Structure formats: C-alpha cells, structure tokens
Amino acid sequence: MQNTTRSTTLELRSRGQARSRGVSSFATSMIIGPICFFLGILFSALPYDYPLLWTSESAPEAYYDQLEIHQKFLYASPPLFSRILHIAIGIGFSGLFIKLFKPTDANLLFDGASLVLYVVGVIVYISNIVKGLRIVTDGTYGKLDIGESNPEMIIGREDSLKILAASNAILALVLVGILVLQAGQWYAERKEHDDVARLEEEEMKINASRGPRTPSISYSSRNGSKKKQ
C-alpha cells in the first residue's frame, strides 16, 4: 500500500514538473526569439560600425557621408518596421514576466538578472540609438543654441556616429548576456532534474527490494507461531 502511494506521488510530481517545464520552455522561446532577432539587426549594422570602433585607421570623409545616408534611411523607414520591432520587445517582456510568475530560486536568479539586462537594453535603445538616429537625420549633432547666429558645437558628426556605433555594440553585449543567463538556467534546471530523477530511481529500487521481503518474513513468523501452538 505504501509503495503504491509513493509511486502515485512520484507520478503526480513528475507530471507537475513536466507541465512546469513546458510552460518554462515556451516562455524561454519567447525570450530567446526576440533577442536573436535583435542580434540579427545589430549584426547587419556591424559592417557600418566596424571601421569606427574596431580599426585604428581613420575612416575617410566619404565613409561618414555614406554612413550618414544609411542612418537617415533607417530612421525614415516605414512605421511598420518600428512596430514590428516594438512588438518583438513586448514579446520578450511577456516571456520574462511569465517565467517570473510564481518564481523559484532559479527564476529569481537567472530570470531576474535577465529582466534587468533587458531593461538596460531598452534604455540604451531609446536613449542612445533612437536619439542618435534622430540627431543624424536632423543634422544637429549636439548643437547648443546660445544665440541664433552663435551655436556652440559640443559633439561633432564623427563623434556622434561613433557613439551610435558604440551603443550598438553595448546593446549586443547586453543581449548576449541575456542568452548566457538563459543557457545557465537551462543547465541548472537540467542538472537538478537529473539529480531528482536519480534520487527517485534509487528510492524506487530500495522500495522494490524491501517489498518482497516483508511477506516472506511475516509468513515464516506465522508458521513458527503455528508450530508452537
């Protein structure tokens, strides 16, 4: 009877764990999908940012003209593209909130840190990238209007484009950090699941080895009592 109860408990526990793993896997895909989408966009911008950040040689003036045209083209893209981007950002937030609903220790550690990095990435996108594209399109480049005919230049065109390229690199590092955290959580949960399965298997083996011995002992004790009578 006890073995049956334990097996039923283990079966219900395994079903609950499988159901929770299914929800967690779906939420994880909601996080990883948009992040890979964002990394693809940043990777497509790498050929334009590479001469500004990763080479010691100074770029020619014609390169800045071409890069400026490219940034203006991105900022002037149809609203559909920005809406798709914002929907992808919302999907990532939804996946993180789903995983943080009734959180475990692993969720608080890995998903909490992922949410912090995700918010940092959104802040970098809004404050640096969108603002930088707007500045490039307007052509202001950090002008501070002291008077109508006496503007003071704070940051020039080259520095503004370098800041925009550096923001792309920072955002890419933040997104890669989220992927590393999600991979670490997957490894930790898999390790925990393997340990629990091993302990349950050992417990079932112990219960199975104890099961046949109990009736034989009771039967022999009954025979001994009958002989004494």
Side-chain angles (χ1 to χ4, degrees):
M1 185 67 180
Q2 292 179 354
N3 294 333
T4 305
T5 305
R6 289 180 180 177
S7 61
T8 305
T9 304
L10 292 175
E11 184 178 357
L12 292 175
R13 186 186 302 173
S14 62
R15 288 181 181 178
Q17 291 177 353
R19 187 178 302 173
S20 62
R21 286 196 301 270
V23 176
S24 178
S25 300
F26 178 73
T28 303
S29 63
M30 293 177 64
I31 299 170
I32 295 178
I35 289 177
C36 294
F37 174 69
F38 301 147
L39 287 175
I41 296 175
L42 294 174
F43 181 76
S44 65
L46 183 60
Y48 299 95
D49 299 336
Y50 185 83
L52 297 177
L53 299 177
W54 312 108
T55 56
S56 58
E57 299 178 358
S58 59
E61 191 69 21
Y63 169 77
Y64 290 101
D65 295 335
Q66 295 176 0
L67 180 59
E68 188 177 16
I69 293 173
H70 172 70
Q71 302 293 357
K72 290 180 179 179
F73 179 77
L74 285 179
Y75 188 76
S77 59
L80 177 63
F81 296 96
S82 61
R83 290 170 186 171
I84 293 175
L85 184 62
H86 296 161
I87 289 172
I89 294 173
I91 291 174
F93 272 118
S94 300
L96 288 169
F97 290 148
I98 290 173
K99 294 187 71 176
L100 287 173
F101 180 71
K102 295 181 180 180
T104 60
D105 294 337
N107 293 124
L108 289 176
L109 178 62
F110 292 99
D111 293 328
S114 298
L115 180 60
V116 172
L117 289 179
Y118 201 83
V119 172
V120 170
V122 172
I123 292 173
V124 171
Y125 164 71
I126 295 174
S127 62
N128 288 6
I129 297 177
V130 175
K131 185 177 179 181
L133 291 175
R134 186 182 298 114
I135 290 174
V136 171
T137 302
D138 296 338
T140 54
Y141 294 115
K143 290 182 180 179
L144 180 63
D145 294 332
I146 298 177
E148 294 182 357
S149 60
N150 187 21
E152 181 183 355
M153 296 296 296
I154 299 178
I155 300 177
R157 182 178 73 163
E158 296 181 5
D159 293 333
S160 297
L161 294 175
K162 288 180 180 179
I163 291 173
L164 188 57
S167 300
N168 292 335
I170 293 171
L171 182 57
L173 290 176
V174 170
L175 296 176
V176 170
I178 297 175
L179 290 180
V180 171
L181 287 172
Q182 294 299 313
Q185 183 183 11
W186 171 81
Y187 178 78
E189 289 180 350
R190 182 177 179 181
K191 187 69 175 177
E192 182 182 2
H193 175 68
D194 293 340
D195 293 339
V196 171
R198 180 175 55 82
L199 292 175
E200 290 179 354
E201 185 178 358
E202 291 178 356
E203 184 179 357
M204 292 177 66
K205 288 181 179 179
I206 293 173
N207 294 333
S209 62
R210 288 178 180 177
R213 293 179 182 178
T214 305
S216 61
I217 295 173
S218 61
Y219 181 74
S220 60
S221 62
R222 288 179 183 177
N223 291 334
S225 62
K226 288 181 180 180
K227 289 180 181 179
K228 289 180 181 180
Q229 291 177 358

